């Protein structure tokens, strides 16, 4: 996705992640529009169009079809093609029209929106003979596509293990809220529950729903220890904040009960414990003790967060969790080669 000539969403991050996962054993190309040129200059298969925020539906679909045509012309027999797309149903049509080369085709699927109507399911059925498998985050989503599947988190930990993380007193902020801001991320409610309690807080990201911004600004003005950085965040700024915060709070609700989230993995990859509601997108926090999970943010024990012992315990569990994540690299490679 491209907004004002800047990348949006986690498409860049996933592309980089898969490039890092496979580049040691494969010749990898990232296929994307012009906005990908700077980030992936050495590994880019450039497609003609970006998906621009605000463009008409007709333009979006036409651009997707033309990108599919360019992609299919470049695919060679035996190639592994892993699709990540903002307009998957249109991509189905494009692949049916233009993909005539025998390749190993896989789809990354985060939800079931591309098969939630009879027409979409019919298109998926037509495409089915070309599809080897699905890469999914949740079993109920992956199984819905009726293809062999592998469960892979939003991001794969590709950094050499072991790694060292900043200590408790080396991080500037006590809590961060970072990334695009929407109501279902519960940012305002989380901020309201933790301000005025002696913690250094940073709220950073672009507000996706305009009526939220005045509310967040008004809350931040009541506490001098809140650092408000509303607006587009570069990847460097985004990761710097996660690396410089003792905890990352993800007060998710709504769509995140059946939706994955890349932010939770970005936080964990920086050794940053996560404070999270009990949702599908953050279930690993509770399951593996990678932070503190809760049902209501108002029940969060803020005093506990200022105790280094809690941070150290969570960080040790994160290190163990990331060590297990390394196995996914070989499992994913085996899957796309063998199915």
């Amino acid at each position: 996705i491209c907004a004002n000539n800047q990348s949006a969403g986690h498409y860049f991050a996933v592309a980089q992640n898969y490039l890092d996962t496979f580049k040691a054993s494969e010749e990898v190309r990232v296929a994307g529009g012009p906005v990908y040129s700077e980030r992936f200059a050495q590994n880019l298969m450039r497609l003609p169009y970006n998906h621009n925020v605000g463009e008409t539906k007709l333009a979006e679909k036409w651009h997707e079809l033309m990108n599919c045509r360019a992609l299919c012309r470049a695919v060679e027999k035996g190639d592994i093609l892993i699709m990540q797309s903002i307009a998957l149903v249109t991509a189905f049509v494009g692949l049916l029209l233009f993909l005539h080369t025998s390749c190993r085709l896989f789809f990354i699927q985060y939800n079931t929106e591309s098969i939630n109507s009879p027409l979409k399911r019919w298109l998926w059925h037509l495409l089915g003979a070309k599809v080897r498998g699905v890469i999914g985050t949740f079993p109920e989503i992956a199984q819905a596509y009726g293809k062999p599947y592998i469960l892979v988190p939003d991001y794969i930990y590709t950094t050499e293990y072991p790694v060292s993380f900043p200590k408790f007193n080396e991080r500037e902020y006590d809590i961060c809220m970072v990334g695009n801001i929407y109501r279902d991320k519960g940012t305002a409610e989380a901020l309201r529950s933790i301000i005025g309690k002696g913690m250094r807080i940073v709220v950073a990201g672009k507000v996706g729903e305009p009526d939220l911004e005045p509310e967040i600004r008004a809350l931040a003005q009541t506490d001098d220890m809140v650092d408000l950085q509303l607006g587009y965040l570069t990847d460097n700024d985004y990761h710097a904040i996660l690396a410089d915060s003792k905890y990352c709070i993800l007060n998710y609700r709504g769509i995140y009960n059946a939706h994955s989230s890349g932010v939770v993995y970005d936080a964990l990859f920086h050794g940053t414990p996560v404070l999270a509601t009990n949702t599908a997108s953050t279930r690993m926090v509770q399951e593996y003790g990678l932070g503190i999970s809760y049902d209501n943010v108002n029940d969060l024990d803020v005093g506990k967060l200022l105790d280094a012992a809690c941070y150290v315990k969570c960080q040790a569990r994160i290190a163990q969790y990331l060590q297990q994540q390394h196995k996914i690299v070989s499992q994913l490679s085996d899957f796309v080669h063998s199915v």
Side-chain angles (χ1 to χ4, degrees):
I1 304 180
C2 180
N4 299 321
N5 294 317
Q6 297 168 322
S7 65
H10 69 178
Y11 294 91
F12 270 25
V14 172
Q16 183 67 58
N17 201 223
Y18 276 68
L19 173 61
D20 292 341
T21 297
F22 289 105
K23 65 183 180 183
S25 58
E26 312 281 351
E27 181 184 350
V28 183
R29 292 290 179 267
V30 174
V35 72
Y36 280 70
S37 296
E38 183 176 346
R39 175 74 172 266
F40 299 100
Q42 302 302 315
N43 302 90
L44 182 66
M45 180 190 294
R46 179 166 168 162
L47 303 180
Y49 297 105
N50 292 323
H51 173 88
N52 294 304
V53 172
E55 68 184 358
T56 66
K57 283 291 184 183
L58 181 60
E60 174 191 305
K61 293 181 184 303
W62 176 253
H63 293 163
E64 186 74 10
L65 286 173
M66 292 303 96
N67 280 348
C68 275
R69 184 176 70 168
L71 173 64
C72 292
R73 286 177 172 177
V75 171
E76 297 181 0
K77 184 177 180 179
D79 282 353
I80 296 170
L81 180 57
I82 299 175
M83 293 287 294
Q84 178 195 206
S85 173
I86 185 64
L88 272 176
V89 176
T90 310
F92 293 170
V93 175
L95 291 169
L96 285 167
L97 290 173
F98 305 122
L99 185 61
H100 306 300
T101 304
S102 176
C103 67
R104 305 183 70 84
L105 175 62
F106 298 87
F107 278 89
I108 299 174
Q109 296 285 10
Y110 301 109
N111 52 54
T112 56
E113 291 177 10
S114 53
I115 53 170
N116 65 0
S117 74
L119 176 60
K120 293 177 182 180
R121 287 191 291 273
W122 178 69
L123 288 171
W124 175 251
H125 175 73
L126 291 179
L127 186 62
K130 298 178 183 286
V131 180
R132 293 296 186 98
V134 168
I135 300 168
T137 49
F138 302 137
E140 57 271 25
I141 291 171
Q143 290 168 4
Y145 286 86
K147 289 287 180 180
Y149 69 88
I150 184 172
L151 297 181
V152 173
D154 279 31
Y155 301 148
I156 304 164
Y157 190 66
T158 58
T159 304
E160 287 299 318
Y161 190 89
V163 295
S164 60
F165 297 124
K167 294 181 172 59
F168 185 79
N169 59 4
E170 293 173 345
R171 305 222 186 191
E172 178 181 358
Y173 300 106
D174 294 306
I175 293 180
C176 73
M177 304 178 208
V178 64
N180 293 331
I181 299 170
Y182 295 95
R183 286 215 174 271
D184 277 357
K185 289 192 173 182
T187 306
E189 291 78 6
L191 184 58
R192 187 178 293 110
S193 74
I194 60 177
I195 55 175
K197 297 182 179 179
M199 292 189 296
R200 181 77 169 139
I201 303 163
V202 57
V203 181
K206 186 176 181 179
V207 181
E209 297 172 67
D211 61 316
L212 263 177
E213 186 165 337
E215 183 179 356
I216 291 171
R217 288 192 181 278
L219 286 168
Q221 287 174 358
T222 66
D223 189 342
D224 291 339
M225 296 185 73
V226 177
D227 180 4
L228 204 57
Q229 301 180 27
L230 300 185
Y232 176 79
L233 283 181
T234 66
D235 281 353
N236 287 341
D237 289 341
Y238 169 79
H239 287 286
I241 290 170
L242 284 171
D244 211 16
S245 301
K246 296 182 178 74
Y247 296 92
C248 175
I249 189 166
L250 301 176
N251 191 42
Y252 290 167
R253 60 191 183 185
I255 63 169
Y256 290 94
N257 284 304
H259 195 289
S260 59
S261 168
V263 181
V264 62
Y265 291 101
D266 284 328
L268 296 174
F269 291 176
H270 285 288
T272 303
V274 175
L275 314 174
T277 42
N278 292 310
T279 63
S281 59
T282 58
R283 62 178 60 163
M284 76 291 292
V285 175
Q286 182 178 38
E287 185 176 352
Y288 296 99
L290 309 177
I292 298 173
S293 56
Y294 55 84
D295 292 316
N296 188 315
V297 69
N298 294 317
D299 298 330
L300 196 59
D301 184 354
V302 172
K304 186 176 182 180
L305 305 181
L306 298 176
D307 180 359
C310 176
Y311 172 91
V312 170
K313 182 184 293 185
C314 292
Q315 203 171 70
R317 291 172 179 162
I318 290 172
Q320 293 173 350
Y321 178 75
L322 296 182
Q323 188 174 21
Q324 293 298 313
Q325 289 282 298
H326 257 296
K327 296 178 181 178
I328 293 173
V329 173
S330 60
Q331 291 169 353
L332 180 58
S333 180
D334 290 344
F335 177 75
V336 299
H337 283 95
S338 63
V339 171

